[in-house]
Structures are given as structure tokens and as C-alpha cells.
Amino acid sequence: MNETLEQLRASVDGIDSQLLELLSKRAELVHQIGQVKESQGVPKFEPEREKEILDRITGLNKGPFPDSTLKHLFKEIFKASLNIQQEDHKRQLLV
Amino acid sequence: MNETLEQLRASVDGIDSQLLELLSKRAELVHQIGQVKESQGVPKFEPEREKEILDRITGLNKGPFPDSTLKHLFKEIFKASLNIQQEDHKRQLLV
């Protein structure tokens, strides 16, 4: 493998570590949001808020991903976060 | 909406902007990697490299996402990047 490929891959690894960190922080925040909502008795899933986030992201998008791809990736992130919240809820019910 | 919820959401928005930036940078790097590989005549899709990235990420994972969720999210990111490379290739064929 030549040096350039090695270097590019090292950069990808660096970005991936940062992505992991941000995704984990995001999940913590969503968990806190879920707790605030629970204390206020409001529903955890709010489709309007999701739409707002997607509109914001595609508004900021300068490529190279097309908007449709970013929407797909962020929806997967939403789904993953919602799964954690549902696990939390199940755990609460079991306690 | 109370202040706490507003603040938490502002933090999520901040993280999402960073995620967008990192995902876009990552796509640029993957595009460059694709060009290097093309010049060397090696296949663009390398399952071992994907496995290496997933092992690295789950090795660094401290939660709250389970490893399985992170693997799923990163596979979606791989797929999105590969789609861009395939589009590049199609464009080259058309030129």
C-alpha cells in the first residue's frame, strides 16, 4: 500500500473517532431531552422536530453528499437514539 | 417550551452541524481514496478495510450506543460513500 493511501486512511480513522464521539454525545443529549419530556408528560417522538433538523442540515449542506443521502443518514441516527430511549423506558417499567 | 429543552436542542443542533461537516470531509477523503485506488487498478470495495474500521470503532465505544447500533450507522455511512464513488464512475464512463 502506498503512503498516500495510508495517509488518507489515517485521516478517515481520525474523522471516524470524532464521529463516534459526537454520536455518543448526541445520544446523551437525546437521553436528557427524553427525561425532560417525560417529566413534562409530552410525547418523546416529535415528527416536526425531526423535519426541522433535516431542513436545517440540508440547508447547510455543501456536498458532496446529496441532500437525500444526508436525510437518510440522519434518520438512521434518529432511529438509533429513539431505540435507546425505548430501552430506557422498558428498564424503568421493569424496576 | 422550557429553557432546558431549548438549551438541549441547541446543543443537538451544534453537534449535528459538526456531524455534517465531518461526514462531508469523510466523503471527500473516500473520494480521494477511490481515485488513488483507480490509478493503481485495485478494487474500490474492500470488505477487510470495512471490518477493520468497525472493529476500531467498537473498540473505542464507551456507550451509550450498543456496538451493534454503531456498526449499523457506520455501515450506512460506508454505503453512502460507495454510492458517491459509483456515481463518479458512471460520470467518467459517460464522458
Side-chain angles (χ1 to χ4, degrees):
Chain A
M1 191 181 304
N2 73 22
E3 184 122 20
T4 317
L5 205 51
E6 290 257 18
Q7 283 167 350
L8 290 169
R9 284 182 165 177
S11 302
V12 169
D13 286 347
I15 286 187
D16 286 348
S17 302
Q18 292 178 66
L19 282 172
L20 171 65
E21 206 173 308
L22 287 172
L23 288 169
S24 304
K25 265 193 210 163
R26 192 185 194 283
E28 295 287 358
L29 286 169
V30 170
H31 173 75
Q32 289 177 45
I33 289 174
Q35 287 184 319
V36 172
K37 284 183 176 178
E38 190 140 305
S39 72
Q40 296 177 344
V42 294
K44 287 198 182 167
F45 177 62
E46 291 182 85
E48 323 79 59
R49 169 64 178 151
E50 287 204 359
K51 195 186 170 301
E52 186 189 303
I53 295 177
L54 295 177
D55 287 347
R56 206 181 140 270
I57 290 296
T58 53
L60 292 171
N61 182 29
K62 292 178 198 141
F65 281 126
D67 286 353
S68 58
T69 301
L70 286 172
K71 279 187 188 174
H72 172 72
L73 289 177
F74 274 86
K75 278 183 189 174
E76 290 294 324
I77 296 171
F78 298 160
K79 235 191 288 174
S81 307
L82 208 63
N83 283 346
I84 294 189
Q85 288 199 35
Q86 280 162 349
E87 283 304 311
D88 288 343
H89 188 63
K90 266 189 240 161
R91 267 197 291 275
Q92 284 181 345
L93 290 178
L94 288 169
V95 171
Chain B
M1 190 181 304
N2 73 23
E3 184 122 19
T4 316
L5 205 50
E6 290 256 19
Q7 283 166 351
L8 290 168
R9 284 183 165 177
S11 302
V12 169
D13 285 347
I15 286 185
D16 286 347
S17 302
Q18 293 178 66
L19 282 172
L20 170 65
E21 207 172 306
L22 287 172
L23 288 169
S24 304
K25 266 193 211 163
R26 193 186 194 284
E28 295 286 359
L29 286 168
V30 170
H31 172 75
Q32 289 177 46
I33 289 174
Q35 287 183 318
V36 172
K37 284 184 178 178
E38 191 139 304
S39 71
Q40 297 178 341
V42 295
K44 288 199 181 167
F45 176 61
E46 291 182 86
E48 323 80 59
R49 168 66 178 152
E50 286 204 2
K51 196 186 169 299
E52 187 189 301
I53 296 178
L54 295 176
D55 287 347
R56 206 182 139 267
I57 289 297
T58 54
L60 292 171
N61 182 28
K62 295 180 194 137
F65 281 127
D67 286 353
S68 57
T69 302
L70 286 173
K71 279 187 188 174
H72 171 73
L73 289 176
F74 274 87
K75 279 182 188 173
E76 291 295 323
I77 296 171
F78 299 159
K79 234 191 289 175
S81 306
L82 207 63
N83 284 346
I84 293 188
Q85 289 199 34
Q86 281 163 349
E87 283 305 311
D88 286 344
H89 188 63
K90 266 188 242 161
R91 265 197 292 275
Q92 283 181 345
L93 290 178
L94 288 168
V95 171

